[in-house]
């Protein structure tokens, strides 16, 4: 199939892109790994396509002790290969290894995945469980939107007309913190039937100080659950059951809601145990 007719713009500056995006019914093209199929199937038919790939300075990846900032044109593969990102926040790389295939990762962008807001995608869950944020620019200025407010529903983010997502911020791994990401898919590279990422922080007494998870594929947005209480008591099964109760899976041709709930329970316990084990192995 072919996309519906559209006006194509290729700005070279952010200000020019914002001017182009001010027109009604405009879409941004970055990696295009989600948008192009939607255009070809005419599930999306914007009047204007704003290709930001010629804008310099949007492909930066910066990692420090405070966190990781990823620009709008930073490709999955570049972020995955960056040792500074792996050191500052390992959960990003763990999620990226689960994203599709290398060919897709060579073109797709981290920020584009966040804006696409697919509840079955891995990166929105990572941003949500880490309490990260997305920076949005418009002609009126810049605003920073926390993950808890950014994901509004299936394929729906807080991005407003005329805005451009210029970067995403992922907090760094705190001291004595471990993470894990587990999912089940019908085939490698497919969207997960269900997935769970977990972050566990231990106190100086090596007891669980914080335990959070985010689930993919079982709700309209990433399902974030704080299970510090049961994890502090060492009851991983109770924590997993609480996470499964928070899930809102829908049945489809691939799996029933009951099966997805079962997967969440199994994957959550596995991810929490693994994250806690990693946290305990960290010397400080």
């Amino acid at each position: 199939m072919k996309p519906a007719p559209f006006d194509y713009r290729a700005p070279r500056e952010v200000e020019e892109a914002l001017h182009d995006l001010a027109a009604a019914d405009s879409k941004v093209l970055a990696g295009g790994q989600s948008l192009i199929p939607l255009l070809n199937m005419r599930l999306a038919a914007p009047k204007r396509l704003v290709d930001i790939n010629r804008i310099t300075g949007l492909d930066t990846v910066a990692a420090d002790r405070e966190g990781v900032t990823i620009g709008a044109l930073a490709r999955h593969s570049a972020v995955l290969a960056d040792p500074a990102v792996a050191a500052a926040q390992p959960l990003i790389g763990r999620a990226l290894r689960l994203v599709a295939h290398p060919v897709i990762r060579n073109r797709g962008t981290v920020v584009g995945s966040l804006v696409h807001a697919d509840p079955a995608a891995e990166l929105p869950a990572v941003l949500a469980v880490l309490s990260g944020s997305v920076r949005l620019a418009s002609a009126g200025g810049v605003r920073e939107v926390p993950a808890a407010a950014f994901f509004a529903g299936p394929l729906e983010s807080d991005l407003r007309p005329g805005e451009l997502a210029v970067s995403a911020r992922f907090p760094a791994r705190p001291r004595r913190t471990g993470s894990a990401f587990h999912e089940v898919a019908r085939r490698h590279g497919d969207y997960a039937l269900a997935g769970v990422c977990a972050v566990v922080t231990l106190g100086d007494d090596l007891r669980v100080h914080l335990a959070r998870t985010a689930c993919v594929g079982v709700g309209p947005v990433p399902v974030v659950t704080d299970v510090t209480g049961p994890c502090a008591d060492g009851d991983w099964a109770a924590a997993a059951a609480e996470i499964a109760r928070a899930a809102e899976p829908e049945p489809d041709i691939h799996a029933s809601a009951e099966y997805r709930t079962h997967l969440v329970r199994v994957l959550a316990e596995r991810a929490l145990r693994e994250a806690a084990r990693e946290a305990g192995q960290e010397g400080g």
Side-chain angles (χ1 to χ4, degrees):
M1 297 181 66
K2 296 181 179 180
F6 56 82
D7 176 32
Y8 176 79
R9 300 294 176 92
R12 294 184 178 274
E13 302 289 342
V14 170
E15 292 75 14
E16 185 182 354
L18 295 177
H19 178 269
D20 291 337
L21 287 169
D25 198 10
S26 298
K27 282 283 188 181
V28 172
L29 174 65
Q33 300 306 288
S34 298
L35 178 60
I36 296 301
L38 292 176
L39 293 175
N40 287 339
M41 292 185 287
R42 300 205 176 192
L43 296 174
K47 291 184 172 62
R48 174 175 290 181
L49 201 62
V50 181
D51 184 347
I52 64 171
N53 281 280
R54 293 171 178 78
I55 300 177
T56 58
L58 289 183
D59 61 347
T60 56
V61 180
D64 53 35
R65 296 181 63 181
E66 299 300 319
V68 178
T69 301
I70 300 174
L73 289 177
R75 313 296 171 179
H76 295 316
S77 57
V79 178
L80 181 58
D82 194 319
V85 173
Q89 184 45 261
L91 187 55
I92 297 174
R94 287 171 178 151
L96 284 170
R97 290 185 184 91
L98 299 171
V99 175
H101 304 281
V103 171
I104 301 296
R105 295 197 292 267
N106 284 341
R107 188 64 187 170
T109 63
V110 169
V111 174
S113 178
L114 297 174
V115 172
H116 188 54
D118 193 322
E122 293 85 0
L123 290 168
V126 172
L127 192 79
V129 78
L130 296 177
S131 298
S133 61
V134 178
R135 175 163 289 194
L136 306 173
S138 70
V142 176
R143 65 189 182 106
E144 196 90 16
V145 182
F150 186 70
F151 302 110
L155 306 181
E156 182 183 1
S157 71
D158 191 47
L159 186 74
R160 298 169 184 168
E163 286 186 323
L164 173 66
V166 293
S167 65
R169 178 73 172 173
F170 297 82
R173 174 183 61 175
R175 179 171 171 265
R176 286 202 178 103
T177 295
S179 62
F181 204 133
H182 289 286
E183 66 179 33
V184 171
R186 295 177 66 243
R187 293 169 299 188
H188 174 69
D190 282 4
Y191 279 117
L193 298 176
V196 180
C197 61
V199 176
V200 175
T201 300
L202 305 183
D204 292 335
D205 58 358
L206 298 184
R207 287 176 54 83
V208 173
H209 177 71
L210 175 69
R212 280 164 54 94
T213 62
C215 301
V216 304
V218 291
V221 298
V223 181
V224 178
T225 310
D226 188 312
V227 286
T228 304
C231 290
D233 295 332
D235 196 341
W236 306 108
E242 184 175 330
I243 294 163
R245 285 194 295 271
E248 303 174 20
E250 294 284 345
D252 58 25
I253 61 173
H254 302 298
S256 66
E258 292 76 15
Y259 180 58
R260 283 193 163 94
T261 301
H262 169 72
L263 286 179
V264 167
R265 184 180 297 108
V266 172
L267 296 173
E269 183 169 354
R270 185 180 303 169
L272 285 167
R273 286 182 179 273
E274 183 177 315
R277 184 165 57 251
E278 180 181 76
Q281 291 171 348
E282 184 186 349

